[in-house]
Amino acid sequence: MKILAINDDGVYAPGLWAVVEALQDVAEVVVVAPDREQSGVGTAITLSRPIRATEVVPLVDGIKTYAVEGTPADSAILALESLVEGPVDLVVSGINQGSNMGNDVFISGTMGAALQGFFRGIPTIAISVAALKNLHFAPAARVARLLAQGVADGKLVPPLLLNINLPNVPLEKIKGVSLTHLGQRTYMDVVKEGDDGRRKYYWITRERPGWVLEKGLDIWAVRRRRISITPIHTDLTSNTISREIRGLTRDIRQAFRP
Ligand code: MN
């Protein structure tokens, strides 16, 4: 069995190596990750120039490791289409420093990389710890290891994309595990305006978000010190077709009547 470990925090981020360490005796692990931090670049891919990948020194002995001069999604594509020999059985994206809950999945580089695995029919997990400093990686690494074992035992089969978030607490403080839905933020990023002495600038700033704290949502689980596991699919089609949309569609149909 072969596992691709990837992230958006850069090839030497501690979370990546915490998960590699936990996975190395379950399967052969190959690391392909951006050469620098790329949080928030989402699903971006580089089409305007060629990309270089350099084999670099691993932080865990014997792990083939590449640093990619590109985005997390670039790294995943390079890994799965070219760098890694033979089929990949599991893609693990993380362990990310910072939560990826609710609408974050649309801007998360961790998810951007994970999606490339999912799109190729490979079981994929994105895994994040909800803190930016003094991170406890051990519980997340253990979850990744258990899931990797599930894939090895044939219990987890594609299509499979799991978005996992953990509270930043040590193992003994984890209160449980919840299967969750994506949460909703109550407001978005803000813009701070400034002046560098020559020109005005705008700085997009991530405010501490407000959340809807309904039971069963990812944020609900993490706030209760539970591990949140959200199964993700990529059919964004809405089930609700309002009367207004029906009316508009009728008007458009009318306009195109021959
Ligand atoms: Mn990140």
Side-chain angles (χ1 to χ4, degrees):
M1 171 155 141
K2 203 170 265 188
I3 298 173
L4 169 64
I6 197 160
N7 75 352
D8 77 350
D9 293 331
V11 69
Y12 288 126
L16 174 64
W17 291 97
V19 85
V20 169
E21 192 134 45
L23 296 174
Q24 63 174 337
D25 58 344
V26 179
E28 181 193 342
V29 182
V30 182
V31 169
V32 183
D35 63 356
R36 67 201 74 183
E37 209 221 316
Q38 303 262 346
S39 296
V41 304
T43 56
I45 60 173
T46 304
L47 299 173
S48 54
R49 57 177 175 83
I51 302 165
R52 288 186 205 283
T54 310
E55 199 174 339
V56 295
V57 178
L59 294 189
V60 172
D61 277 351
I63 303 292
K64 206 162 183 67
T65 303
Y66 296 91
V68 174
E69 292 175 22
T71 67
D74 289 339
S75 304
I77 296 169
L78 256 63
L80 298 171
E81 299 293 334
S82 175
L83 293 172
V84 182
E85 274 169 51
V88 169
D89 305 285
L90 172 67
V91 174
V92 176
S93 186
I95 303 165
N96 188 60
Q97 304 192 198
S99 63
N100 272 311
M101 299 186 286
N103 296 340
D104 283 342
V105 302
F106 290 99
I107 57 160
S108 155
T110 304
M111 281 301 284
L115 281 167
Q116 293 298 334
F118 180 69
F119 290 158
R120 285 167 175 75
I122 303 167
T124 298
I125 64 173
I127 189 157
S128 308
V129 174
L132 295 173
K133 47 187 173 194
N134 304 325
L135 272 84
H136 296 278
F137 290 121
R142 181 182 275 202
V143 171
R145 187 189 159 86
L146 287 168
L147 288 169
Q149 240 135 22
V151 172
D153 299 343
K155 286 190 222 151
L156 289 170
V157 293
L160 181 83
L161 175 55
L162 300 177
N163 183 40
I164 303 170
N165 283 275
L166 290 94
N168 188 36
V169 294
L171 220 47
E172 64 274 13
K173 294 263 172 68
I174 298 275
K175 292 270 166 59
V177 181
S178 296
L179 267 176
T180 57
H181 287 256
L182 282 182
Q184 291 293 322
R185 283 182 160 206
T186 53
Y187 62 90
M188 303 298 291
D189 305 318
V190 296
V191 173
K192 293 213 166 109
E193 296 181 16
D195 199 305
D196 64 5
R198 294 179 306 140
R199 295 179 66 186
K200 190 171 183 178
Y201 66 78
Y202 303 88
W203 198 330
I204 298 173
T205 306
R206 310 223 73 191
E207 295 274 303
R208 205 182 169 83
W211 293 93
V212 177
L213 280 171
E214 237 164 71
K215 188 177 176 184
L217 300 181
D218 48 15
I219 178 70
W220 173 87
V222 169
R223 286 275 172 92
R224 270 156 194 75
R225 293 195 172 167
R226 299 177 70 82
I227 297 169
S228 163
I229 301 180
T230 314
I232 302 284
H233 67 150
T234 50
D235 180 0
L236 296 174
T237 316
S238 170
N239 289 320
T240 45
I241 299 178
S242 66
R243 203 165 356 142
E244 287 78 6
I245 292 173
R246 263 182 225 290
L248 272 172
T249 312
R250 200 167 43 238
D251 294 348
I252 292 166
R253 208 177 285 133
Q254 233 26 199
F256 281 87
R257 190 154 284 166

